[in-house]
Amino acid sequence: MIKQIFGRLPRKQSKAAESRESNAHTATLSSNSSVNSQSGELSTNRALSTHNFVTPGSYSEYYYGGKTYPTVDPKLNGISPSPTYETLPSFKDVPISEKQNLFIKKLNLCCSLFDFNDQTKSLKEKDTKRQTLLELADYVASVSGKFTEYIMQEIIKMVSVNLFRPFTPAPRENKIPEALDLEEEEPLMDPAWSHLQIVYEFFLRFVTSPETDAKLAKRYIDHSFVLRLLDLFESDDPREREYLKTILHRIYGKFMVHRPFIRKAINNIFYRFIFETEKHNGIAELLEILGSIINGFALPLKEEHKLFLVRSLIPLHKPRCVSAYHQQLSYCITQFVEKDCKLADTVIRGLLKYWPITNSSKEVLFLGELEEVLEATQPSEFQRCMVPLFHRIAHCLSSSHFQVAERALFFWNNDHIDSMIKQNHKVILPIIFPALERNTRSHWSQAVQSLTLNIRKLFSDHDPELFEECLCKFEEDEAKEQEIKAKREGLWNRLEDIAASKAHCESVSVSLNAPH
């Protein structure tokens, strides 16, 4: 069964296959019961940098459970020398009393690393290690009896040696233009995935196993381990990030003592991404984990969680690459508003603060998110922010980009939003009327004109008197604007005449004073 699951994978997957794989992992993640992070919290005053762990790139030793384990010689560029592999029997060929020792021997065997960039090297050893990893994953899934502390230590050592590695930035010919659709970029696949995938599956089964005692395992799956696991979200391989997403979510659910630390560590990743680098491969996956965590928050929301919304989630709208993770971000934001309707005003004003001015595709994303937030907004909160909100919507309605204008006009198709607009139409109509009127008279898109006429008729039927007042005021303002424009043009014409006259006088004076 396990061999069927982990058959040899192709080097590259089609987009459809990647999408199916991503959706499967997402379904698994979201199907889990939401974790209430309010309970079992500990103080997180201990600085992140004080943990005793090996940073990416310094692969001289690992420290776990009071012991130091040598790993890879740095001179070998992260690759261990090929060991002399002893032939180990299968688990089914040894008595129950020997299985634990055999398990440890197989773990130690799998601590050796190979160069997967060269497909011709160590073929026999690579295949032996892969088969051993498959046996280990199968054994962890079927074992009966609690894992001992020593076995946990050996498991974490093997997982750490295989997974925790430095990432070399992939060479790019040119910087990716902002306008380029990042989804068209071909993802980079790790050549060692045939082994890494089984290590991830093995570790996932260990974490979720009922035989893993969380109180004992937390000594080895500690803060330093969690930090290094979070570092792996920088991987270019989307398959690896999917596994990491599932594993971190399960760790969050099983180890209650780590929950505040995990949230704080993710928060720090977001800060570094927003305000320093704007480069990180795993923001979408981290947000997907947070979406499930936020869904489990108990009410009333803690001040810590509200600050996380204001200081991290809302500023995530700022980076130019927001489209890469906007769907997950929008879900997290909406979850907060659904949890506490009073946060709607804070969220809407935050969106307006980071509203894109010159990026129309990003503006369409913001309008879609704004509609989801408004759908969860109560009328009292809507009234608090409707004036600045509809000044921005008026700009969108009159946008020359037809997708932006259409997306703004679609707000009236939402019954809840339309109901709140009608309740406050005396404030809203005067704000957006000029944009509606200009669209009907001069917008180049026939679809935008047609939609605008429908909205215009809704207001006209709902309150004819106010509509006529707005129309009269619009025509007066247009007349005044034309008058000001005519005066300005007349002033410029007079200035041009004066300049031309002065130039003519100077030329005549020069010609009269010239010697004959």
Side-chain angles (χ1 to χ4, degrees), residues 175-184 320 323 358-361:
K175 187 177 179 181
I176 299 174
E178 183 182 342
L180 187 65
D181 186 359
L182 294 178
E183 292 184 358
E184 296 299 322
R320 289 173 294 177
S323 59
T358 59
N359 189 330
S360 55
S361 59

Side-chain angles (χ1 to χ4, degrees), residues 454-464 467:
N454 293 336
I455 306 302
R456 191 174 179 274
K457 188 175 185 304
L458 287 175
F459 282 111
S460 176
D461 294 342
H462 186 69
D463 193 338
F467 186 87

Side-chain angles (χ1 to χ4, degrees), residues 45-64:
N45 293 332
R46 188 178 177 189
L48 300 185
S49 59
T50 61
H51 297 293
N52 191 354
F53 67 97
V54 183
T55 55
S58 60
Y59 268 44
S60 57
E61 59 185 26
Y62 287 99
Y63 180 83
Y64 279 106

Side-chain angles (χ1 to χ4, degrees), residues 493-505:
N493 289 334
R494 286 198 298 274
L495 288 172
E496 288 174 356
D497 291 343
I498 291 170
S501 176
K502 186 176 180 180
H504 177 70
C505 291

